[in-house]
Amino acid sequence: MACDLLCRLRLLCLDGPLARAEPKTLRYRLLHTTARIVHGQCKRKIRIPEAWPWARPLADCLLLALALPHRPEVDRPAPTPYPLPPTPRTPPARGTRRPPDATVGSPA
């Protein structure tokens, strides 16, 4: 699964030599960055050290990833977090009759 995520990252968000880089190189240059998430002015920002040699490609990658359109899954329903218990059968209300079966006891 991690390999698929790295492939999608390279395909959608990276260009130049990083788009053709090996997973080990991507981990070293982008994923092991000491960045901090900063909250302020009702916004969340990511602070990347300017001394990091790959700070600009990482910032460009994050901007491209955040600009991707969100496409919800429409092909399948969302999975339930746990199996649902069987629904209990409720007895019919008093005074109601069950409709007769057409195959049982009907004259021909």
Side-chain angles (χ1 to χ4, degrees), residues 21-106:
E22 294 291 323
K24 184 177 179 181
T25 305
L26 289 176
R27 278 195 305 270
Y28 174 73
R29 292 185 181 182
L30 298 181
L31 303 179
H32 289 215
T33 305
T34 57
R36 290 183 3 198
I37 296 175
V38 181
H39 301 276
Q41 302 167 350
C42 298
K43 295 180 184 177
R44 278 184 284 181
K45 301 175 190 175
I46 186 163
R47 183 166 294 168
I48 304 167
E50 293 177 11
W52 187 254
W54 299 283
R56 186 78 250 156
L58 177 61
D60 294 341
C61 174
L62 289 172
L63 287 175
L64 281 173
L66 293 173
L68 289 173
H70 175 69
R71 187 185 79 104
E73 291 288 330
V74 293
D75 299 343
R76 55 187 161 168
T80 57
Y82 51 86
L84 295 175
T87 56
R89 293 184 62 189
T90 57
R94 287 198 120 148
T96 59
R97 291 182 43 186
R98 198 173 117 197
D101 271 292
T103 57
V104 178
S106 61

Side-chain angles (χ1 to χ4, degrees), residues 2-16:
C3 188
D4 292 337
L5 289 174
L6 282 177
C7 288
R8 293 292 179 181
L9 176 77
R10 284 190 291 188
L11 179 68
L12 297 173
C13 301
L14 295 174
D15 56 354

